Amino acid sequence: MDFTKKFNIGLTLETNLKEFECFVKEYHTYIHSIYFSPPVNKYFHTRSKVNQMFLLPGKKKLFWNMLKLAKEYGIELELLLNTLVLDDEMIKKASILLETHDIKVDSVCFLTQYYESVLKYFPNTKYILSFNNGFRTVKEIDNIIENYKFDTLVLGSAFIRNNRLFSYLASRNKEVYLLLNNGCSFNCTTCNNVGTVCSYFFKENLKKHSLDYLYALQSIFPYELHEGIIDTSNIKCFKISNRSNPLPFVKNAIDSYMTNEVLKYLKISKNSYAYWGRAGYFWPHFKKINLEKVLSYKEELFRKKVKNNE
């Protein structure tokens, strides 16, 4: 399987410039783009840890240097505007800040509520609709196609194995970025950047299903890509959730997906389950997950897809 320019990864500040340069030098062939939130204020960040990192000495300078270095290696830059409390003035400040530091983004990933501001301040970029918009039905997706100008849709949750939808979006000339390891609950109806909502759905689901089933359902193992269970022909990029993790996490996640390897990492640590499903509520349970049961449930899910001609 060819992974050239296939990965869309988050910019992590848990590194230094030397380590980051070694990373991009080794992996730039496989990295299509890097997504990031600008250091304007805390309202741009979905995770408080990322905002707190910017408050540490030297991290803002590191941030700008990392973006420039990524560009030098031919990696595209993706600006995130995916939190709920931004306004036009904040987005304007972000555009000015980027311009001040001589950073030209290639794409903007945003919520539809910021559509007019994005058109105004980023008129000549690729437009990506964020997973955080909370689209959960094909009808909702049809509606946004009719009402918004955009190039790409980020899909996760219950859509992660929806090959028909991938094909349909390709027929509508829309690219798909597939969230590989977000691990979101399939029945969550919203994405409001509040972790308590995620935990609520997970706890409710545990009352009806086993931990192993939920992890099997909500994670994507490498073999699901390599063996065609997920049809990758209509997927532009594989999105890795990683911004609150150090750089070795990103490397291992990419390596795992490219080499179709799971067991190797689980022998090192049960926390390696995060490479394929890293939702926060899973972490306390990783040591209890039974790999054989997970694989059995994944096989059951695949048989169901075949039976339903999906």
Side-chain angles (χ1 to χ4, degrees):
M1 185 175 176
D2 186 8
F3 285 92
T4 302
K5 291 297 179 184
K6 271 296 189 181
F7 290 100
N8 172 241
I9 66 170
L11 188 74
T12 175
L13 291 174
E14 290 197 40
T15 185
N16 56 61
L17 195 60
K18 183 177 180 181
E19 182 186 36
F20 182 72
E21 183 168 17
C22 289
F23 169 72
V24 294
K25 186 175 182 179
E26 182 178 358
Y27 288 90
H28 71 277
T29 302
Y30 310 106
I31 299 172
H32 173 270
S33 45
I34 290 180
Y35 60 89
F36 65 91
S37 301
V40 178
N41 58 42
K42 65 180 181 180
Y43 301 112
F44 280 82
H45 307 288
T46 56
R47 292 179 172 86
S48 59
K49 182 178 179 181
V50 176
N51 178 57
Q52 290 165 4
M53 288 293 290
F54 275 117
L55 302 179
L56 297 176
K59 288 299 182 181
K60 285 185 180 179
K61 181 179 179 180
L62 173 64
F63 169 80
W64 296 114
N65 286 335
M66 289 169 72
L67 292 184
K68 291 175 182 177
L69 192 58
K71 272 286 195 180
E72 290 176 13
Y73 277 88
I75 298 171
E76 294 188 8
L77 301 182
E78 175 187 324
L79 170 67
L80 294 184
L81 303 173
N82 64 344
T83 57
L84 294 171
V85 290
L86 304 181
D87 57 30
D88 185 82
E89 186 61 28
M90 290 182 193
I91 295 172
K92 180 181 179 181
K93 286 181 180 178
S95 69
I96 293 172
L97 185 63
L98 289 165
E99 186 177 351
T100 300
H101 287 271
D102 198 28
I103 296 295
K104 181 174 174 54
V105 297
D106 300 282
S107 57
V108 183
C109 183
F110 60 95
L111 302 184
T112 56
Q113 67 199 61
Y114 307 134
Y115 183 65
E116 296 300 329
S117 295
V118 170
L119 291 180
K120 188 192 311 181
Y121 301 119
F122 302 95
N124 298 309
T125 58
K126 176 178 175 179
Y127 295 148
I128 304 173
L129 292 191
S130 170
F131 171 72
N132 291 1
N133 279 291
F135 306 124
R136 297 295 184 267
T137 67
V138 176
K139 184 177 180 180
E140 288 175 315
I141 290 175
D142 271 331
N143 183 58
I144 63 166
I145 290 176
E146 296 302 323
N147 290 284
Y148 296 95
K149 170 191 171 185
F150 70 98
D151 305 286
T152 306
L153 192 63
V154 181
L155 295 180
S157 190
F159 288 139
I160 59 175
R161 298 180 184 89
N162 196 327
N163 293 331
R164 284 184 180 177
L165 178 58
F166 305 154
S167 178
Y168 171 68
L169 287 170
S171 74
R172 299 295 303 268
N173 296 313
K174 302 301 178 187
E175 295 176 345
V176 171
Y177 282 15
L178 182 65
L179 273 167
L180 290 184
N181 67 332
N182 223 40
C184 293
S185 297
F186 275 28
N187 61 336
C188 182
T189 56
T190 185
C191 193
N192 62 2
N193 309 143
V194 180
T196 52
V197 176
C198 305
S199 298
Y200 168 78
F201 277 98
F202 176 66
K203 289 175 182 177
E204 289 299 304
N205 289 337
L206 272 179
K207 295 176 183 178
K208 303 174 185 177
H209 304 287
S210 71
L211 171 67
D212 297 314
Y213 172 78
L214 291 177
Y215 182 81
L217 181 69
Q218 296 168 213
S219 65
I220 296 178
F221 272 8
Y223 83 87
E224 296 182 72
L225 305 181
H226 286 264
E227 297 181 14
I229 294 171
I230 294 174
D231 181 4
T232 62
S233 64
N234 292 312
I235 296 173
K236 174 67 175 179
C237 284
F238 302 124
K239 195 177 192 74
I240 301 286
S241 178
N242 67 271
R243 285 194 296 164
S244 55
N245 298 103
L247 206 53
F249 178 96
V250 193
K251 295 173 64 174
N252 288 341
I254 291 176
D255 285 343
S256 170
Y257 279 112
M258 290 202 301
T259 60
N260 195 15
E261 182 63 69
V262 166
L263 219 56
K264 168 186 172 182
Y265 297 97
L266 290 176
K267 286 179 180 178
I268 298 171
S269 172
K270 287 283 190 176
N271 284 342
S272 297
Y273 277 114
Y275 299 144
W276 318 294
R278 71 173 293 280
Y281 46 70
F282 275 132
W283 283 81
H285 302 282
F286 282 150
K287 291 183 179 179
K288 296 180 284 185
I289 291 178
N290 183 304
L291 180 61
E292 288 186 7
K293 289 183 178 180
V294 168
L295 291 172
S296 177
Y297 280 127
K298 283 185 177 290
E299 178 61 27
E300 185 180 310
L301 290 168
F302 175 63
R303 288 198 301 270
K304 184 177 178 182
K305 278 174 63 68
V306 172
K307 182 179 179 181
N308 295 336
N309 194 27
E310 297 177 353

